[in-house]
Amino acid sequence: MRRRALVTLLATALPFAAASPTFGQESLLDRYSPVTDALLATPADGDWLSFRRTAAGWGYSPLDQINRDNVGDLNLVWARGMEAGNQEGTPLVHDGVMFLPNAAGVIQALDATNGDLLWEYRRQYPENLADFDGLAGVTRTVALYENLVITTTSDGFIVALDIASGQVVYEIETANYETQSTRQSGGPIIANGKIISGRRCSARGGPAACFVAAHDATNGEELWRFYTIPQPGEPGFDTWGDTPYESRRHLGTWMVPTFDPDLNLVYFGTSTTAPYSKFHLNDPLVRDWEYLYQSSTLAIDADTGELVWYVQHLRDHWDLDNVFTRMIVDTVVSPDPAEVDWINPNLVPGETRQVITGIPGKLGLIYTIDRATGEFLWARDTVYQNVVVGMQDTGLAVTNPDILFTELNQEYLVCAGIYGGLDWQAGTYSPRTNAMYYPLQNACSMQNNIIENPTAADGAAMRHRTVVAPDAQNIGTVFAVSAETGRTLWTHDERAGVWSMFSTGGGLVFGGDLNRRFRAFNDETGEVLWETILGAPMAGYPMTYAVDGRQYVAVPVGAAGVTGRNIIGLTPELRPGASGNYLFVFALPGD
């Protein structure tokens, strides 16, 4: 690993400023205030400072200028074309400046009131990067800290840019993309001055490519590294049985973590291993190895990188990641046995607990876990699934033996499939209702285990195709579920696949779909209060912000990558059109 500090601009990473910036643009950056740890923990109401606004993972804004009474008056106030490619970004806003991650390693600073360009950074990726990373250039979020914009890149670097100019302040190589292939698509968060980031480690990258890391945000120095595939001599190493260390692959943390500053814990979810079918891993009888830390929640000390606790959710054979955002919530815990499938028998109902909750995995199961200790509290189904048939008191699923691959050329219907239930789309939590809202898909996978003696290049060692879930007519479904009781409060079903959501203090939940519709729901009833038609399918993560007392709603659209293409394929009668990438911004009528 090497550190590369830049004192002059490199031709390989040259930021381009907007030509002839106006006085208004210059003064906008001049009034920008540093983003501190305290501000990240409690942002100004009008700011959206990290992936889900705060490190708690809610995707909630207290703004209420746009509310149930007037949301029907929303108008488009500006739009901007974005870079071509897989568009999965989140706009961040502070002090009237929007920082917009585009596809292909492009980051822009914009005037958040009109979309005018302040500066632009374009990373020049190596020409052979696509040989090692099939989805190179996806950036879901950047991080703001002090006067820096911090990003993780597809070629294995952490890069810090100057807020005022977009020029590179430092860049640090975390892994060589050729020898330790590892996509950094999720993006970082900041925890007490540290850059915390995870990776999607390619199967060909080997076990050393699978890690989470902390770097000093001021200079990029690496502070600690935790390997999600235990190294020889580490706890968990023996849980892979007879599989040689060099054959242990693909246990990534490719989504954005959450952080509890009071407990000083960072929460990561982990993916599956490769090959997916464990009988390939010198395990012809499919023995009950854990293969740590696959399909787990990891609670890691933010200062030391020490694993404080973990919960394994699934011993996977089907690529059913449990890697998605965990929401940090304090709530009364009283799961309703009429709707909650699995409840810890030791749970005392009615207690207020510090929990992490939400849907961490593709199956669409909601899990609630004590975030200080890792104690499993309850879990329940949402969309149709046929994998989990029971739950141990630890929160480890009991899986369906009828769809377990034990030899070549077996084919099974696996629900929910590789692309949902849930994939990288984000749900939201509202403290107004103590409810979580999730965009889910009624989709499954037909999986066929056909590759004998798979190599690292084979990765999954499986073929699959996405199909509609049994008896389902609609693909998209939104679930609103009480964080206290686990009861379903309302659902919204539609033919098209549904995408990421956020909630507000105005009693609204915003979300869109793959048929170009973007809408606002009543957070208590699910009634659609406003709907508009966009120029392309929903992509990326919508959000809201305010500048000079005016609230805006921003929604990225365009090419949502392999997940979006597979879900769109289930509704051939819907033809949303070419997927040009755009950002649309709405507000109430005004000057």
Side-chain angles (χ1 to χ4, degrees), residues 96-225:
V97 181
M98 176 180 288
F99 300 94
L100 184 63
N102 287 244
V106 174
I107 298 170
Q108 296 169 326
L110 308 174
D111 183 329
T113 66
N114 56 30
D116 286 347
L117 183 66
L118 307 180
W119 55 255
E120 182 177 88
Y121 167 83
R122 289 181 168 268
R123 186 158 190 84
Q124 302 301 311
Y125 283 125
E127 292 184 359
N128 67 342
L129 181 61
D131 296 336
F132 300 90
D133 186 352
L135 286 176
V138 172
T139 302
R140 295 187 178 94
T141 192
V142 297
L144 305 178
Y145 191 68
E146 297 294 343
N147 289 313
L148 299 174
V149 181
I150 298 167
T151 187
T152 52
T153 71
S154 291
D155 56 344
F157 285 80
I158 291 176
V159 178
L161 309 174
D162 180 77
I163 286 288
S165 65
Q167 295 185 1
V168 176
V169 176
Y170 65 77
E171 65 174 43
I172 307 295
E173 186 177 44
T174 64
N176 183 286
Y177 74 92
E178 294 180 305
T179 60
Q180 291 182 312
S181 180
T182 178
R183 187 195 316 151
Q184 301 186 120
S185 57
I189 63 167
I190 302 295
N192 292 337
K194 303 174 188 66
I195 306 165
I196 308 292
S197 59
R199 282 141 196 91
R200 174 263 192 205
C201 45
S202 168
R204 73 183 70 192
C210 303
F211 64 93
V212 301
H215 293 76
D216 188 315
T218 61
N219 58 24
E221 177 187 359
E222 184 170 314
L223 303 175
W224 53 258
R225 181 175 291 203

Side-chain angles (χ1 to χ4, degrees), residues 41-90:
T42 310
D45 286 355
D47 282 354
W48 192 285
L49 295 185
S50 57
F51 176 56
R52 302 303 292 151
R53 189 172 178 270
T54 71
W58 292 1
Y60 169 83
S61 168
L63 292 174
D64 60 4
Q65 182 181 91
I66 301 168
N67 55 53
R68 295 173 184 168
D69 294 331
N70 60 24
V71 67
D73 296 328
L74 279 181
N75 290 321
L76 180 70
V77 292
W78 64 267
R80 185 179 181 90
M82 296 175 65
E83 196 73 16
N86 291 324
Q87 203 288 91
E88 300 178 12
T90 310

Side-chain angles (χ1 to χ4, degrees), residues 256-497:
V256 186
T258 48
F259 171 59
D260 183 338
D262 295 328
L263 296 175
N264 199 37
L265 293 179
V266 178
Y267 302 99
F268 274 100
T270 63
S271 74
T272 63
T273 63
Y276 304 147
S277 302
K278 297 305 181 286
F279 85 91
H280 282 304
L281 296 178
N282 293 327
D283 197 354
L285 300 179
V286 193
R287 294 186 293 268
D288 204 19
W289 300 115
E290 295 171 280
Y291 300 99
L292 293 177
Y293 292 98
Q294 71 154 336
S295 294
S296 299
T297 296
L298 308 179
I300 298 174
D301 186 291
D303 289 339
T304 66
E306 175 189 0
L307 181 66
V308 176
W309 58 259
Y310 76 92
V311 173
Q312 187 173 42
H313 304 291
L314 184 69
R315 292 176 185 168
D316 179 79
H317 300 258
W318 310 275
D319 190 28
L320 299 175
D321 293 0
N322 275 275
V323 76
F324 309 125
T325 300
R326 278 75 171 152
M327 298 173 178
I328 294 172
V329 175
D330 292 347
T331 181
V332 173
V333 178
S334 295
D336 182 352
E339 294 199 41
V340 176
D341 304 279
W342 302 287
I343 302 172
N344 188 327
N346 299 316
L347 175 68
V348 178
E351 291 184 337
T352 298
R353 304 285 292 262
Q354 296 177 306
V355 305
I356 50 175
T357 191
I359 297 178
K362 293 179 179 178
L363 285 174
L365 270 65
I366 297 173
Y367 283 88
T368 297
I369 297 169
D370 187 293
R371 69 177 184 267
T373 66
E375 179 188 6
F376 168 73
L377 302 177
W378 62 266
R380 60 155 288 185
D381 280 331
T382 53
V383 294
Y384 174 78
Q385 63 88 20
N386 66 350
V387 174
V388 175
V389 296
M391 192 78 61
Q392 299 182 19
D393 293 349
T394 62
L396 177 64
V398 178
T399 54
N400 182 359
D402 294 336
I403 58 171
L404 185 66
F405 293 100
T406 57
E407 59 186 41
L408 290 176
N409 297 314
Q410 294 174 316
E411 184 173 67
Y412 297 122
L413 177 70
V414 180
C415 302
I418 288 177
Y419 300 113
L422 186 72
D423 202 346
W424 53 264
Q425 313 93 311
T428 181
Y429 166 82
S430 173
R432 281 177 37 87
T433 57
N434 194 27
M436 60 191 88
Y437 307 85
Y438 271 95
L440 303 170
Q441 324 303 326
N442 294 304
C444 302
S445 296
M446 286 299 305
Q447 298 191 6
N448 192 316
N449 193 28
I450 63 173
I451 298 178
E452 187 174 4
N453 300 318
T455 66
D458 294 319
M462 185 179 292
R463 298 292 180 263
H464 66 87
R465 58 186 174 88
T466 302
V467 298
V468 181
D471 300 323
Q473 300 299 317
N474 292 314
I475 305 304
T477 181
V478 176
F479 268 79
V481 177
S482 167
E484 176 182 341
T485 66
R487 296 188 192 112
T488 300
L489 304 178
W490 54 263
T491 60
H492 166 85
D493 298 316
E494 62 173 278
R495 180 66 176 144

